[in-house]
Amino acid sequence: SVSFELAVWEPSTHDQQGRTGHRDSLHSLRKMAYDGADLVVFCFAVDDRQSFVAVESRWLAEVQRACPVACRLLVGLKTDLRLGESTSDVSRREAIAMGTRLGLEYVECSAQENSGVGLVFDTIAQLLREKDKKRVLYRNARKRERQAEQGSNSQYRLCCFQCSSS
């Protein structure tokens, strides 16, 4: 059994009293939360095209600068509110295309209908396990490299693992 620490940051533009500008006060706190993050989940509401567009136009660049080696996941929320072919709704096909273009795995869910929620958390766990495996492989390769440099344990072959940051 493996446990993970989960921190959730919502980039709200309103405070609890409905005043705008609250997002700016959270900006520095959000940047601190990126430090050491292993995974970032980009969430958007499928019934809010603006939130979908913001993933690429705003959040992706910020995350790439702040934590370039973190895994990333794209999640469509509120699928119960998708109204078929409405132009304001984000289709599953559009979201998959964006995920593919940006190198993000895509899943979607509806908390209202309890549909896909487990899949979101299962995907998060899978991505973190894969990242941990890569970390162990890299650590072992570096250890063998140091041993080879010191001339000991010459039975090891040097390997190089390159992990993509996209």
Side-chain angles (χ1 to χ4, degrees):
S1 174
V2 178
S3 45
F4 301 101
E5 180 181 330
L6 179 64
V8 179
W9 290 88
E10 180 183 359
S12 175
T13 57
H14 303 283
D15 65 12
Q16 292 175 342
Q17 286 76 39
R19 296 179 301 225
T20 60
H22 186 59
R23 177 180 56 199
D24 295 333
S25 65
L26 291 177
H27 185 69
S28 59
L29 289 175
R30 189 178 64 249
K31 290 210 176 207
M32 288 189 308
Y34 289 142
D35 188 35
D38 289 312
L39 178 124
V40 176
V41 180
F42 296 102
C43 297
F44 68 92
V46 300
D47 67 331
D48 181 0
R49 184 162 295 280
Q50 211 172 14
S51 70
F52 176 69
V53 170
V55 168
E56 188 171 8
S57 66
R58 175 175 180 178
W59 299 114
L60 186 66
E62 180 176 300
V63 167
Q64 285 174 326
R65 281 190 306 274
C67 44
V69 296
C71 299
R72 297 176 182 97
L73 177 64
L74 181 63
V75 179
L77 306 174
K78 300 182 179 182
T79 56
D80 56 292
L81 298 180
R82 189 180 277 140
L83 301 173
E85 298 300 318
S86 171
T87 57
S88 64
D89 289 352
V90 178
S91 72
R92 181 172 174 76
R93 182 178 298 174
E94 283 179 280
I96 290 170
M98 177 193 268
T100 300
R101 188 176 69 253
L102 301 177
L104 307 173
E105 187 164 339
Y106 176 69
V107 292
E108 57 184 27
C109 68
S110 166
Q112 181 72 30
E113 295 178 345
N114 194 23
S115 168
V117 177
L119 178 61
V120 171
F121 287 96
D122 289 346
T123 305
I124 289 170
Q126 175 190 352
L127 289 170
L128 289 172
R129 277 192 302 268
E130 289 171 8
K131 181 177 177 111
D132 200 43
K133 284 180 189 176
K134 288 179 184 177
R135 188 178 295 144
V136 168
L137 289 171
Y138 177 77
R139 198 176 318 132
N140 289 343
R142 293 292 299 151
K143 181 179 178 181
R144 288 191 299 270
E145 186 177 87
R146 283 191 303 277
Q147 289 172 342
E149 287 172 357
Q150 296 170 353
S152 64
N153 218 349
S154 60
Q155 68 191 28
Y156 291 110
R157 296 178 64 187
L158 295 180
C159 299
C160 178
F161 294 92
Q162 183 170 355
C163 301
S164 175
S165 64
S166 57

